[in-house]
């Protein structure tokens, strides 16, 4: 036998390296084969329900780091809730309709207009299916636990049925109407856009000042004067119907270099500078309201332009007189309706002029800017042309500019139930708090919702038209269409004629010949995902309405958060969710939003191959995602170091509890040694902190608290001196079993606490623990225990740990002075203060062992050369004696037992009792 054989050296097959890139897929396969999601749901039957309703990602393209941040965050929450007393089902969703898929098919060479609508929609469906399969594999690879066999998808018949039913509820309440209004129109998409589909970026635009000659000044303005307007959209000049002024402003008629003009008084100096006027004389001032009813002449058409009043006119820029084309602007439309002006909008779906303006027919609106400006330059009405850069609305998908264009559309009237929505917002919890103000203001200020889209792939608007043009959307017809969609899917709309989609025997006064047509527009895709409360939460038996939580990026305040709230309040009178948790965007290391076009995207699959999905999960749990998050490969390198610390610390604990059976070897709390009680108390604190962190969805604090405990309480303290107990003491000694009890308990609780974040690793850890559940995911989260003397223990040990810091500082000084090398070469003598003496007497432990020094002594005498601290005077000296061959401590009693001449008395006693044969046989040299 060798001396080494008398030590209880920790051994474990738990690997030091995780080999995550290869092992994770194996574990995920085992989870699927063992139906862990289903088993967890079965375990939680009868418990209170917590529902996180999934915001559906669009089924197009590979998953990106933003997806990873979102899905992993949801997974952490659902896993935690599932292990903490809740039935927490998670149904993943996909948004599938709309332009992006049509664009992908176009890229593949599919020509929509060369096939039937039904066949085209089937191709869209097949493409969406393939994208869902690809994204689902990506989410599974991240370790997301979900009901993957039963996702919700917006093209599913049951979802489309529920969506049409919500539309029907809104029709019944009078919220749906048809009107011709300027809406965001994307020529690149050939469709209307919702506000949520518009983003702003800088473009270069023309800036023109145009003179409109007075046609009828009615004695208020001289007949030989001109009104000056300023605009950045020369292409809208052919559609001008009026000039709008603010009734509250003062306007000046001036003689500028021999010509008369009218501008707002407060803009006169600006206009003078812009147009380079040298001699300006104010002829008269006029109150804005007095200009109402005057007329001007269009710059190049022989038609009048009416002077009208509008409070939207400001003095921020321009001339204080606003060119008004009701067919191309929201404010223009509102004021135009007031004055019953024509809604003239001679631009087609592709952004080209129609034959309503023959001289520009077929010209793209942006190309017309120069043509029209040149025309006005020739006739002298163009006073100035320049260019400037400004923020302008763009289609968020095609990234091309959008225009306002008046077209016949279907709308949902927000005004009719706006206050009800605002009242519901007051009942919702927002994380962060500023989300409430953001959503409230968006609802307060938003206009009516354009719910129609001129696309092929989507849920058709269930509206019919009579022979006389009347729209038909009765409860009978909508319910019938909903049933058809539920049975056949919405493609039935493309496959059947109108009469075959109406209830049998349906008649309508406006169709005396029994002929009907059907709407060709689809519902806005935000209406699709916005009815997830009905298509999922209200229709699935295992889900609840309203949902407890939704979690998405902060851009969804204008998107999904908004549309879900609107449709739910419209249909049911209540918000569809109780709480909103919003996250920022993922940015590159330079703070730039990630985008394929910029080439700064980091694909989760690349990180999985290099580091493993577990590292992405730990990264998600380490960042403050309430605001934008920067991410780079270096981010994952740093996180992998933290992971390594967690893994290796737990590995040490597993190695040193291999021979520990919690059923037979565990020591009761009251019988634990003081230091073991202290760590038990600190573990209880950790459980309390982590549960609170999880409850408020603060994953970064979960990680920080766990890592702090592992480093400060375990690695640098408890496990540091543990070797002198678990290695050296007799295998079944009280001290060793007491310490193993705590180490094992820490390992078990850490495994459970970290499972929501690191499920792959913790399942691997669980294989080496002697717990009843075959998977840690089927265990329950630890609970905070009531420990009667916890406060007293923490108070006493807080003093001791401060004292320990003093000793460590003195040891470091002695090491720097070359007095000692390792701390085991030290003898520490302490003259404690009265307070410290009381605490040390109370703890009554082996302080030399706790401080990892060979000799420790307390004294009342003064210590020459000691380091003086508030708690004690500390003297570090070279330890006297010899090094024990077994425990490596320097002792004066080495060789006191003649049978073990190289052992200290403690080791000799242990070895003699455990291995008596060594007293006669001795030890092998190697």
């Amino acid at each position: 036998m060798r001396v080494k054989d008398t030590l209880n050296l920790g051994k474990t097959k738990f690997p030091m390296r995780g080999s995550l890139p290869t092992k994770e897929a194996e574990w995920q396969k085992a989870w699927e084969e063992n139906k862990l999601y289903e088993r967890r749901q079965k375990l939680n039957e009868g418990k209170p329900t917590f529902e996180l309703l999934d915001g559906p990602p669009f089924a197009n393209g590979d998953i990106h780091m933003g997806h990873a941040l979102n899905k992993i965050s949801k997974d952490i929450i659902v896993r935690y809730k599932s292990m903490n007393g809740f039935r927490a089902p998670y149904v993943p969703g996909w948004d599938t309709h709309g332009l992006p898929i049509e664009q992908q098919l176009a890229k593949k060479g599919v020509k929509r207009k060369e096939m039937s609508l039904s066949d085209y929609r089937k191709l869209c469906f097949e493409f969406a299916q393939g994208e869902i399969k690809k994204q689902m594999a990506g989410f599974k690879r991240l370790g997301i636990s979900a009901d993957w066999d039963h996702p919700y998808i917006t093209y599913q018949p049951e979802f489309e049925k529920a969506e049409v039913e919500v539309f029907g509820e809104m029709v019944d309440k009078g919220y749906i109407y048809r009107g011709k209004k300027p809406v965001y129109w994307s020529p690149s998409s050939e469709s209307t856009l919702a506000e949520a589909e518009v983003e702003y970026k800088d473009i270069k635009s023309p800036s023109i000042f145009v003179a409109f000659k007075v046609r009828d000044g009615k004695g208020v303005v001289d007949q030989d004067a001109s009104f000056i307007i300023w605009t950045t959209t020369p292409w809208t000049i052919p559609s001008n119907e009026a000039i709008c002024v603010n009734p509250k402003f003062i306007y000046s008629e001036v003689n500028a270099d021999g010509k008369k003009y009218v501008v707002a008084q407060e803009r006169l100096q600006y206009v003078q500078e812009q147009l380079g006027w040298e001699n300006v004389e104010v002829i008269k001032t006029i109150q804005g309201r007095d200009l109402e009813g005057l007329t001007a002449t269009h710059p190049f058409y022989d038609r009048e332009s009416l002077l009208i009043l509008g409070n939207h006119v400001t003095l921020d820029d321009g001339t204080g007189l606003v060119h008004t084309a009701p067919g191309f602007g929201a404010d223009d439309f509102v004021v135009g309706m007031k004055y019953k002006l024509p809604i003239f909008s001679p631009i087609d779906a592709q952004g080209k002029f129609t034959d309503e303006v023959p001289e520009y027919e077929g010209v793209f609106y942006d190309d017309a800017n120069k043509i029209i400006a040149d025309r006005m330059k020739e006739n002298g009405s163009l006073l100035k042309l320049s260019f400037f850069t400004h923020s302008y609305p763009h289609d968020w998908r095609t990234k091309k500019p959008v225009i306002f264009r008046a077209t016949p559309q279907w709308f949902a009237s927000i005004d009719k139930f706006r206050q009800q929505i605002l009242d519901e917002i007051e009942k919702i919890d927002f994380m962060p708090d500023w989300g409430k103000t953001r959503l409230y203001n968006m609802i307060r200020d938003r206009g009516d919702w354009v719910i129609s889209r001129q696309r092929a792939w989507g849920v058709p608007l269930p509206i019919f038209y009579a022979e006389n043009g009347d729209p038909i959307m009765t409860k009978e017809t909508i319910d019938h269409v909903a049933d058809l969609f539920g049975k056949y899917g919405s493609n039935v709309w493309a496959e059947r004629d109108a009469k075959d989609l109406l209830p049998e025997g349906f008649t309508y006064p406006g169709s005396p010949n029994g002929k009907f047509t059907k709407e060709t527009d689809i519902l806005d895709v935000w209406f699709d995902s916005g009815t997830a409360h009905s298509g999922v939460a209200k229709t699935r038996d295992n889900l609840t309405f309203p949902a407890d939580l939704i979690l998405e990026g902060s851009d969804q305040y204008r998107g999904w958060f908004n549309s879900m709230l609107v449709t739910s309040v419209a249909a049911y009178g209540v918000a569809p969710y109780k709480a909103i948790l919003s996250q920022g965007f993922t940015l590159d290391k330079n703070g730039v939003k990630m985008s394929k076009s910029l080439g700064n995207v980091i694909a989760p699959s690349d990180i999985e191959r290099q580091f493993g999905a577990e590292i992405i999960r730990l990264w998600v749990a380490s960042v403050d995602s309430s605001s934008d998050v920067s991410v780079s490969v270096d981010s994952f390198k740093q996180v992998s170091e933290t992971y390594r610390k967690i893994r290796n610390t737990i590995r040490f604990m597993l190695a040193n509890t291999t021979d520990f059976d919690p059923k037979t070897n565990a020591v009761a709390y009251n019988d634990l040694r003081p230091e073991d009680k202290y760590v038990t108390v600190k573990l209880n604190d950790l459980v309390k902190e982590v549960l609170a962190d999880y409850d408020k969805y603060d994953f970064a604090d979960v990680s920080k608290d766990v890592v702090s405990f592992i480093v400060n309480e375990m690695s640098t303290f408890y496990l540091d001196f543990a070797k002198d107990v678990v290695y050296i003491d007799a295998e079944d000694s009280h001290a060793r079993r007491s310490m193993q009890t705590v180490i094992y308990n820490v390992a078990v609780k850490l495994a459970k606490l970290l499972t929501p974040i690191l499920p792959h690793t913790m399942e691997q850890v669980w294989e080496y623990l002697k717990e009843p559940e075959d998977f840690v995911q089927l265990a329950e989260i630890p609970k905070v225990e009531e420990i009667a003397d916890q406060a007293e223990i923490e108070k006493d040990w807080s003093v001791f740990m401060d004292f320990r810091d003093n000793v460590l500082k003195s040891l470091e000084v002695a090491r720097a002075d070359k007095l000692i090398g390792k701390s085991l070469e030290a003898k520490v003598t302490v003259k404690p203060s009265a307070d410290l003496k009381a605490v040390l007497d109370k703890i009554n432990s082996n302080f030399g062992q706790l401080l990892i020094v060979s000799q420790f002594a307390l004294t009342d005498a003064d210590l020459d050369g000691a380091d003086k601290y508030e708690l004690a005077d500390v003297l570090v000296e070279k330890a006297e004696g010899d090094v024990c061959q077994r425990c490596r401590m320097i002792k004066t009693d080495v060789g006191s037992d003649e049978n073990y001449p190289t052992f200290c008395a403690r080791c000799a006693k242990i070895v003699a009792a455990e291995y008596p044969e060594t007293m006669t046989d001795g030890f092998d040299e190697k």
Side-chain angles (χ1 to χ4, degrees), residues 2-9 726-728 886-887 915:
R2 299 167 300 174
V3 171
K4 180 180 178 182
D5 297 330
T6 70
L7 300 173
N8 303 302
L9 297 177
V726 294
Y727 290 4
I728 306 301
R886 185 168 179 271
C887 69
Y915 307 99

Side-chain angles (χ1 to χ4, degrees), residues 176 268 566 860:
I176 305 299
L268 178 56
V566 168
D860 294 331

Side-chain angles (χ1 to χ4, degrees), residues 739-808:
M739 198 166 213
Q740 283 184 314
T741 298
V742 175
I743 293 174
Y744 182 84
N745 198 26
V746 169
V748 169
K749 290 189 175 181
L750 282 180
K752 292 178 177 180
L753 291 174
L754 285 172
T755 290
I757 297 171
L758 300 173
H760 305 87
T761 304
M762 294 310 124
E763 285 296 0
Q764 190 180 22
V765 168
W766 202 251
E767 295 174 15
Y768 294 83
L769 295 169
K770 296 94 173 176
E771 294 300 294
E773 300 88 357
D774 49 347
F775 293 91
V776 67
Q777 295 171 64
L778 303 180
E780 301 301 316
I781 214 81
K783 303 299 180 189
V784 180
E785 298 175 2
E786 290 293 330
I787 301 177
D789 53 353
Q790 177 157 341
E792 184 181 358
I793 288 174
E794 289 191 292
K795 181 181 177 182
D796 292 342
W797 278 86
S798 176
V799 174
F800 174 81
M801 296 304 280
D802 288 342
F803 163 63
R804 175 175 174 267
D805 288 341
N806 297 157
V807 173
L808 294 179

